[in-house]
Amino acid sequence: MQSVDRAVSVLEILARQGEAGVTEIAGELGVHKSTAFRLLGVLENRGLVAQARGHGKYRLGAGVLRLAGAAALRLDISQEGVPVCRELADELGETVNTAVPDEDAAVNIMQARGTASVTAQNWLGRRTPLHATSSGKVFLAHMSPALRDSHLARRLHRFTERTITDPAMLRGELEQVIEQGYATTLEELEPGLAAVAAPVRSHDGTVIAAISVSGPVYRLTADRLPRLGSRTAGAAAELSRRMGYGF
């Protein structure tokens, strides 16, 4: 824990001063120069600090911008998505979530509940599998072919009798997701649960999130899912517009 604290302190020093040498950093930390040098080496290897050319001082690296950008993006989506998801939840009466991709999972970062979903479970903050959720299928359908192949090459866990674990069958469904503009699941993650989801895009067209509508199968019946999918795609398009897509 002490090393982590010191590493964070190094980043704070560089953020405050712009540039600093090993001697300056060691002095502020109250450690030997060799300790400061090791800390800087680890941070440099991860791209969080970089050496300024010519005079051996250190500054914040591009890795910090990457982390900050990811955090800001999630914050922006969460904030901009509130009115969009709230309106959709009020209109449909179901639970609406905004999820973002996180390696091999979809993570729900915002949730709005409709009048019919008073007793619905809380999905906020949950990591859910890509192959068994509507948001996850959206991310699989829109990721690069190489990355999708990597995901589908893994063992796909079966959560219910209806979970699709055959990669070939799942690929066929992902093609349909692209064609129709939304993904569906029907009792694939949990018995009795159905959902639809549509992609949210950033200014450059990259899929950065998904809006989903979920509820019990006796309300989200198979014949109702296409209409819900189209409406969810409309809400996702509105959030995409708020994120700069189409301008």
Side-chain angles (χ1 to χ4, degrees), residues 190-201:
E190 295 180 4
L193 179 68
V196 298
V200 176
R201 300 178 185 274

Side-chain angles (χ1 to χ4, degrees), residues 2 6 10 21-40:
Q2 186 180 48
R6 286 173 173 171
V10 170
V22 176
T23 301
E24 295 174 78
I25 293 172
E28 289 218 28
L29 295 178
V31 299
H32 193 273
K33 285 177 60 176
S34 61
T35 300
F37 188 76
R38 284 196 298 272
L39 285 170
L40 287 163

Side-chain angles (χ1 to χ4, degrees), residues 26-201:
E28 289 218 28
L29 295 178
V31 299
H32 193 273
K33 285 177 60 176
S34 61
T35 300
F37 188 76
R38 284 196 298 272
L39 285 170
L40 287 163
V42 172
L43 294 171
E44 186 175 19
N45 286 338
R46 301 304 296 267
L48 298 176
V49 305
Q51 278 191 282
R53 293 181 179 178
H55 44 78
K57 291 192 174 184
Y58 289 83
R59 55 177 172 76
L60 293 178
V64 173
L65 296 177
R66 183 182 68 250
L67 295 176
L73 183 60
R74 289 194 178 195
L75 182 61
D76 287 346
I77 293 172
S78 182
Q79 291 176 341
E80 294 293 339
V82 169
V84 176
C85 292
R86 182 71 267 164
E87 179 181 352
L88 188 62
D90 290 344
E91 176 188 337
L92 301 178
E94 305 294 350
T95 300
V96 176
N97 281 282
T98 300
V100 295
D102 186 20
E103 296 182 350
D104 60 347
V107 179
N108 294 296
I109 61 171
M110 204 282 290
Q111 179 172 276
R113 291 182 177 177
T115 55
S117 59
V118 176
T119 59
Q121 59 181 299
N122 184 14
W123 294 96
L124 197 60
R126 283 185 56 177
R127 288 172 55 85
T128 56
L130 297 181
H131 70 287
T133 60
S134 56
S135 292
K137 289 181 182 179
V138 166
F139 299 142
L140 281 172
H142 290 89
M143 65 178 50
S144 69
L147 189 55
R148 181 168 52 249
D149 289 345
S150 175
H151 279 287
L152 298 186
R154 305 170 188 173
R155 178 180 174 273
L156 301 178
H157 182 74
R158 182 177 296 280
F159 295 93
T160 72
E161 292 182 355
R162 304 194 66 162
T163 306
I164 301 175
T165 58
D166 178 10
M169 185 180 298
L170 189 55
R171 286 180 193 278
E173 184 161 334
L174 296 178
E175 290 178 4
Q176 189 175 3
V177 171
I178 297 294
E179 292 175 4
Q180 64 192 13
Y182 61 87
T184 65
T185 55
L186 195 63
E187 297 189 285
E188 295 172 41
L189 180 64
E190 295 180 4
L193 179 68
V196 298
V200 176
R201 300 178 185 274

